[in-house]
Every structure is written in structure tokens, then in C-alpha cells.
Amino acid sequence: MKIIRSGVFETNSSSAHSLVLNKEYKTYEDSYEQWDHIFGTTYKDIWGYYSYYRNTNGKIIYNKRKHEFNFSRGEVRLYDDIIHKTAFLISYYWYKTDDEIIKHILEFVSKRAKIYLSNFKDNHTRNDIEYIKQLISYYVDKGFKRNTKGKYDPDSWICSEFSDTSKLITKIATNDELLDQFIFNSKSYISISGDEYKSAYLKLVGSELEYQEYYDNKYRESEESFEKRLKEVYPEDKYEVEYHI
């Protein structure tokens, strides 16, 4: 809850989104570990990863299916991949009608993704590379762009709810180093939920066991204790966190 004037309180929205920004740079010798670290793991649910054909030139063409990037409250969903995290930032700024930041984010992600992809030409599967390329082309280069300047586009793939202004999202979107660390680092992730669901109390605790422990004890845990435990899970020198966005 937050005070809006003396003696009057207003509860915020029941969305309970969380954002974790990891500030560590990691390099893995194994190309598959490095791939997952950069591009994430949750992108394979966007289209049929195993459903594709080859055109007359032998190029892999994935079967596109309608996918809504739904960031409205509901049972918890965690996303660590570059496409969902890009969509999340864009959806936030659509509500703020900030077209310049939207344009910058999309151009940055598109260019940086192509640079990262170029490092995997000789030591990774062709399917993974083509899949990411097509997702970037379909969504980042085209689908996430606003068709009507300064207005939310109801015909887009994105649906979202935000209860407050996020200082951390603003910080990420206006700093290319942090933007890179958020989008292209799978230890940076978003958690989407609502406070009417049991899963709302996942909030930053990083694993199902930690989540269950917190949910089972949340009514006996003070806010100070909760904040202390979060700092233990996410030390401030490595992470920045924000919840109930």
C-alpha cells in the first residue's frame, strides 16, 4: 500500500511482477552453456521449436504460431530469454507512450543479438541459430514496433499490467551496459504473477524450494526479515532487484 495524501491509502494493482538484474559477466567454455547464458532457455515455447521445414535453398523455416506475450497477472511465469524480456520492456513503455525508448531498445537488441549470434557459427547447432534469427526478425525487427505513434496497440502480441513506475526498468532502458546485462544474461529474469495467486510470493527467491519456504512462512515473516533474506539470495554487488512492479 502507499500513501497518496494524509490519512488516505490506496492499494496498488494485484499484479506482482518481479525483475532481477544480474550484473556479472560470465564466459563458459561449453558452447551450449554459453548459448543458454546469453539467449536464455524459455524462448523455445514461443513457436514449435521442433516443427519446421526446409525451403528450396535448404534453409530451415520454423512454423510460426500465434504467441501472446502476456504479462498480465496470473499463475507465476518466469522468463529468462531475450524475446520475452524485450517484450516486457516494450510493454512497459507502451503504457508510458515513450516511442523513442521503444525504438532504442528494439534497435539495440536486434544489433546486439546479431553480434552474439555471429560467435556461434562454427560451434553450435544450425537449428538454434536459425530459430533465434527468425524470432528476432519476426518480433524485434517487426512485431514489437508500435503501429500508431504514442498509443497502445491492441492488435499487438503484447498484453501487460504494471501497477507502478519502475526505477529499475528506467535505469536498464537508459543504460546500454545494463540493457545488455538484462537482455543477454539468463541470470537476469522476470517473474510474472498476481497477488491473488499462491505463486505471487515467488518474488525473487530464485528457486521453487526457496519459493515454497517463503510462501509457507510468509505470514510469520516480517518485511525486514524478507528484505534481509532477499539480500542473502541476491547480494547487492551482483544483483539489482525490484518487485511488485
Side-chain angles (χ1 to χ4, degrees):
M1 302 176 74
K2 59 184 180 182
I3 299 176
I4 57 174
R5 60 182 182 271
S6 179
V8 178
F9 291 84
E10 179 183 16
T11 58
N12 60 14
S13 165
S14 55
S15 59
H17 305 343
S18 303
L19 186 153
V20 175
L21 171 66
N22 178 258
K23 298 184 287 187
E24 291 183 292
Y25 284 94
K26 284 276 190 178
T27 301
Y28 296 89
E29 291 185 8
D30 183 89
S31 68
Y32 289 91
E33 286 186 293
Q34 186 69 9
W35 177 276
D36 289 346
H37 177 69
I38 292 172
F39 297 107
T41 60
T42 52
Y43 63 85
K44 292 185 178 181
D45 293 331
I46 295 175
W47 293 341
Y49 179 70
Y50 297 101
S51 179
Y52 61 87
Y53 64 93
R54 295 182 185 274
N55 64 14
T56 55
N57 296 320
K59 181 181 179 181
I60 294 171
I61 305 295
Y62 283 90
N63 292 321
K64 301 174 180 66
R65 65 186 184 204
K66 186 175 181 180
H67 183 87
E68 182 179 53
F69 295 84
N70 189 346
F71 303 122
S72 297
R73 65 185 183 272
E75 290 292 349
V76 71
R77 291 96 72 200
L78 270 75
Y79 300 115
D80 65 6
D81 68 272
I82 67 170
I83 304 299
H84 279 98
K85 287 188 288 188
T86 300
F88 183 78
L89 294 183
I90 297 306
S91 67
Y92 176 84
Y93 281 103
W94 268 359
Y95 275 84
K96 306 294 185 287
T97 64
D98 196 323
D99 294 307
E100 288 304 313
I101 289 186
I102 289 172
K103 180 181 177 183
H104 174 72
I105 292 170
L106 293 175
E107 289 179 349
F108 178 89
V109 172
S110 180
K111 290 177 181 177
R112 193 59 59 96
K114 289 162 187 171
I115 292 171
Y116 282 123
L117 283 168
S118 68
N119 295 326
F120 288 93
K121 285 184 178 179
D122 299 324
N123 59 357
H124 209 76
T125 67
R126 183 179 178 187
N127 291 46
D128 282 333
I129 293 171
E130 285 299 326
Y131 191 68
I132 289 291
K133 280 183 178 179
Q134 290 181 42
L135 290 175
I136 291 291
S137 175
Y138 196 72
Y139 293 113
V140 178
D141 293 340
K142 299 172 186 175
F144 293 159
K145 291 183 177 179
R146 194 200 302 273
N147 293 322
T148 305
K149 184 176 177 60
K151 292 183 179 180
Y152 173 69
D153 186 351
D155 297 321
S156 73
W157 291 286
I158 298 175
C159 178
S160 64
E161 294 178 10
F162 292 95
S163 62
D164 292 303
T165 298
S166 167
K167 292 181 180 179
L168 183 53
I169 290 178
T170 302
K171 189 175 179 179
I172 290 169
T174 55
N175 182 312
D176 285 354
E177 182 178 356
L178 295 182
L179 184 56
D180 182 82
Q181 284 294 83
F182 175 64
I183 298 293
F184 298 101
N185 180 342
S186 62
K187 289 188 177 181
S188 297
Y189 67 86
I190 52 177
S191 169
I192 310 301
S193 189
D195 60 14
E196 72 269 46
Y197 297 91
K198 177 179 177 179
S199 56
Y201 295 94
L202 177 85
K203 288 182 181 175
L204 316 179
V205 288
S207 76
E208 291 184 8
L209 289 177
E210 289 168 346
Y211 150 61
Q212 193 62 51
E213 177 188 350
Y214 176 60
Y215 185 83
D216 290 343
N217 294 282
K218 69 185 179 69
Y219 294 111
R220 298 189 295 273
E221 184 174 34
S222 67
E223 187 69 19
E224 290 77 13
S225 175
F226 175 51
E227 293 286 351
K228 179 181 177 181
R229 193 160 62 82
L230 287 181
K231 289 180 180 179
E232 292 173 352
V233 177
Y234 293 98
E236 292 180 342
D237 62 327
K238 296 180 180 179
Y239 293 92
E240 290 188 49
V241 295
E242 191 168 21
Y243 59 93
H244 220 81
I245 299 172

